[in-house]
Amino acid sequence: MALFSKLFTGANDREVKKLNPILDEVNDLESEIEALSDSELQAKTDEFRGRLAEDEDLDDILPEALAVAREAIRRRLGQRAFDTQILGAVVLHQGKIAELRTGEGKTLVASLALYLNALDGKGAHLITVNDYLSKRDAQWYGRVLAWMGVSVGVVQHDASFLVQPEMVSEEHGMEYLTPCSRRDAYAADATYGTNHEFGFDYLRDNMAQDAARQVQRGRHFAIVDEVDNILIDEARTPLIISGHAQDDVSVYPRFAALVPRLVAEQDYTVDEKMKAASLTESGIEKIERALGIDNIYSPENFRLTRYMEAALKAQIIFHKDRDYVVKDGEIIIVDDFTGRLMYGRRWSDGLHQAVEAKEGLKVQQESITYATITLQNYFRMYEKLSGMTGTAVTEAEEFHKIYKLEVVVMPTNRPMIREDDDDFVYRSLKAKFNAVADEVEFMHERGRPVLVGTVTIENSEYLADMLKRRGITHQVLNAKFHEREAAIVADAGRKGAVTIATNMAGRGTDIILGGTPEGRSEDEWQAEHDDVVSLGGLHIIGTERHESRRIDNQLRGRAGRQGDPGSSRFYVSFEDDLMRRFAPDWLPNMLAKLGMEEDMPIESGWVSKALENAQTKVEGHNFDIRKHVVEYDDVMNVHRDVIYTERTKVLEGLDMRSNIFGMVEEELSELIQGHLPARHEEAWDRELLLEDLQAIYPVSEETKGLIENSHTAEEIEAAVLDDAEEAYDRREEEITPDNMRLLERLLLLQTIDRLWVEHLTAMDEMRQGIGLQAYGNQDPLVSYKREAHDMWQQLLGNIRQTIARAIYHVNLSQTPQQQAPASAPAPARVPVGVGTGAPQNLRENRSDEAAVPAARQNGRKIGRNDPCYCGSGKKYKRCHGVAA
């Protein structure tokens, strides 16, 4: 590991040195750019665009554009970009990840690169982790871009804005975001938003029934802020748009009442490493007896096993105020890594319903998937992707393997002088938290600000109660108080301040020693700042090691910004989740035998090594999970690309007639070849062929006679294809070409959407069971790819067959179509497979009612014995006519 570290450091230094000539060019231009008037500086943007329109590219204008952007930021905000920030902007422009320590001004760095890459007019995106940061960044630096003539859009969960250049002035302050349509926000030169908004808008665009309802315009360049959080921590969770499915939710409360009666170890076992619970024979017997069944695993009871497993997980593995909170009668998931509430998301496979039943809440209906994509595959669609964070090196391998991104560690503007002390390790949780409270009290009495990091909401509140009993004033920052997040974090550096925060709460907000200057005179703030500096700066206390070393480093990185003093220490116990799950079993027992007292901390290299090994194991396990997710989604990604590309062609109206009639020709040819096999004329079934052809189109009398009397299949096929085309021409004349194109578009969209949803469901069900292939010594992924290929061929065949068998028999509805409002509320968004949603919104988005043409055939109502218009091949009375 040490050798790797040295090799990486050497390669990184060489990479940074390669950028120095560009930095020298930017600095050489500084005096020349400073001499420009405001209007001359602003005119540079149009000059750059003109040069790009001729024969120059972004690399040609890079030094001058960065010098101009630096000067614009200095004039508008009073901040001059450091040399290290210029280097960081170059790294982002090159499509790499810039690791910048906390306090090095990542937002300014991103703004420099954003200005440069917005000049070509193809769209530059800045992706943040939450709506607050995207709006804040647009207000801070977006106004500088707007002042320079770069249009700026902001995409939020429930609104969209444009930064209006004419309002960017001192008298308007920060109030210049103008509401706009989502489409306008994406049409801007630079657009700010979160990973979820960008991803879900992509999915919604590919559910739109009209090109005018699509909002995005492509994926050219993106800067991902907190890139490790977005591209790694959240990458295990696919983005999914879903709607209600019909399922019996009354069963969940029954199982929620049964599971608490089970006895640990006797009726079930828990695998903490895998976060799984399994029933023993005793537990299975109890469940079967309570349900009054003989065998819960028999085929007729297969649905009950799913309810049982979900209830077991909900009761034993998932805990309130750690994995979720109950708020306003709903279960809100807590993000494992950030401690933030994940509004609108739901667990899959009945788990969310099981947790609702456990907490005595109304159990919501499960859902069916309409569109899904992993974050990995969404961001890999960008032509140029870059990112920035304070901690990326530990995940450099994953960034390279999954995203082909290189990590470049940027030098700090000032030397980092924070002191990172060795861990204190205790035998019990109680002893550990008592020691943490003692440390907080000690620092608080001396006036040093303290930031305490906890892994769970539960622990943050437990520690808060301890400090309250000791009379120590403090602030608690966890998922329950996310609205006050930025304000609390900003003042965490005030003299004597004590702040308790879940892991990455407040990430993206600097902790300034002495607190924020707002509301105080310069002298008052400077005096407090100097006091805190003389006391040693911000002290960081970690209450346990996280699964990822990177998260620990992020907590430590909250102190020691821009050369400030600071210190950090982690407190660990053998009862912590990480130690209990991954540390050697013999370790705590051995320490007890050695006479280690419960409240006696130890500082030992081999204990620290055991901790590091435990974290490495978990990091490797989590990497495998993410790799597993992307490997499976890569298969689906091929399908999704084809479907969405074809769907876009439909919305654009490209080659509608040739596309549809091509499907008709393929279907007719396949029928003829099937009923009239070559070299086996004795097996020809002319009567059945004619019956099947008439189910597709109205066969002419002349062609019927030819089918009955011709001796060659080739002659029949040629005649049938000509006859079908003539019938298509007549149909087009009957309803007019414009209406025929509309009918083709609606039918094709409805068919693709319906069958795509069925395909998604079938693929998901197949994937859930494919792991069993391992018991037969087969690679599940290989089996999945093989099965997926077969299912894909079936999907294409079903689309072709459905279109061919419906196009001659359906008409546009005579009733006015129900159009969804342009700003229809977004469907529910959920991770991992299912969730709730507003089904009416989904119906409007999919235009199901409008897209299903009326049940008419050749201008008359379909008879009960006619082929059904849906293309099933069944008679109308036995298909859609059943409900008529």
Side-chain angles (χ1 to χ4, degrees), residues 341-593:
L341 296 184
M342 302 165 77
Y343 289 99
R345 299 205 194 174
R346 294 176 68 83
W347 286 303
S348 64
D349 300 325
L351 176 59
H352 210 95
Q353 286 76 11
V355 174
E356 287 171 334
K358 166 190 171 183
E359 296 295 340
L361 304 177
K362 180 183 178 182
V363 179
Q364 303 292 330
Q365 192 63 258
E366 287 196 61
S367 300
I368 186 170
T369 299
Y370 284 89
T372 177
I373 191 171
T374 59
L375 286 172
Q376 291 105 320
N377 275 322
Y378 175 73
F379 282 107
R380 289 195 299 186
M381 288 192 289
Y382 275 89
E383 297 171 36
K384 184 167 68 174
L385 181 64
S386 65
M388 53 187 187
T389 182
T391 48
V393 170
T394 55
E395 315 295 344
E397 179 186 4
E398 183 167 350
F399 281 125
H400 178 70
K401 284 187 175 180
I402 302 294
Y403 303 100
K404 301 294 185 289
L405 287 172
E406 294 179 34
V407 176
V408 181
V409 180
M410 308 310 301
T412 55
N413 184 50
R414 295 178 182 172
M416 206 276 289
I417 60 173
R418 185 187 68 238
E419 296 179 5
D420 296 325
D421 299 321
D422 291 334
D423 296 357
F424 277 165
V425 183
Y426 292 82
R427 282 179 56 190
S428 71
L429 278 170
K430 181 181 178 183
K432 179 186 75 173
F433 277 108
N434 282 333
V436 168
D438 290 342
E439 177 84 349
V440 171
E441 188 171 14
F442 177 81
M443 292 291 178
H444 181 65
E445 287 174 351
R446 282 152 184 74
R448 273 192 78 178
V450 181
L451 175 65
V452 185
T454 65
V455 173
T456 67
I457 299 172
E458 184 180 25
N459 285 347
S460 69
E461 294 181 341
Y462 174 73
L463 183 60
D465 287 340
M466 292 182 70
L467 298 184
K468 185 177 181 181
R469 289 195 296 271
R470 296 188 183 208
I472 299 172
T473 303
H474 60 276
Q475 291 275 9
V476 179
L477 177 57
N478 59 34
K480 291 185 174 181
F481 306 105
H482 69 286
E483 296 90 350
R484 296 162 46 213
E485 182 175 298
I488 294 174
V489 170
D491 275 337
R494 297 206 65 165
K495 187 174 181 180
V498 175
T499 308
I500 303 171
T502 47
N503 274 318
M504 295 193 300
R507 191 172 175 181
T509 304
D510 272 343
I511 297 177
I512 302 172
L513 298 187
T516 56
E518 283 80 6
R520 292 182 285 173
S521 68
E522 177 67 25
D523 290 342
E524 287 176 328
W525 175 81
Q526 192 63 52
E528 183 169 346
H529 173 79
D530 293 343
D531 269 356
V532 174
V533 169
S534 66
L535 291 168
L538 179 67
H539 181 57
I540 301 291
I541 297 176
T543 58
E544 68 182 273
R545 286 286 191 170
H546 194 271
E547 288 184 352
S548 169
R549 291 167 294 170
R550 181 169 42 85
I551 308 298
D552 293 341
N553 293 337
Q554 285 159 359
L555 178 60
R556 276 197 163 120
R558 305 315 298 267
R561 62 181 294 279
Q562 282 295 318
D564 284 340
S567 57
S568 71
R569 187 189 297 276
F570 277 85
Y571 287 73
V572 182
S573 89
F574 289 110
E575 293 179 354
D576 291 347
D577 284 348
L578 181 70
M579 293 292 279
R580 195 172 64 247
R581 290 166 58 197
F582 292 98
D585 295 335
W586 50 263
L587 194 56
N589 294 331
M590 191 195 76
L591 294 173
K593 290 178 182 177

Side-chain angles (χ1 to χ4, degrees), residues 672-681 683-685 713:
I672 293 168
Q673 291 162 18
H675 289 301
L676 309 180
R679 295 190 299 276
H680 294 284
E681 192 169 338
W684 284 18
D685 192 335

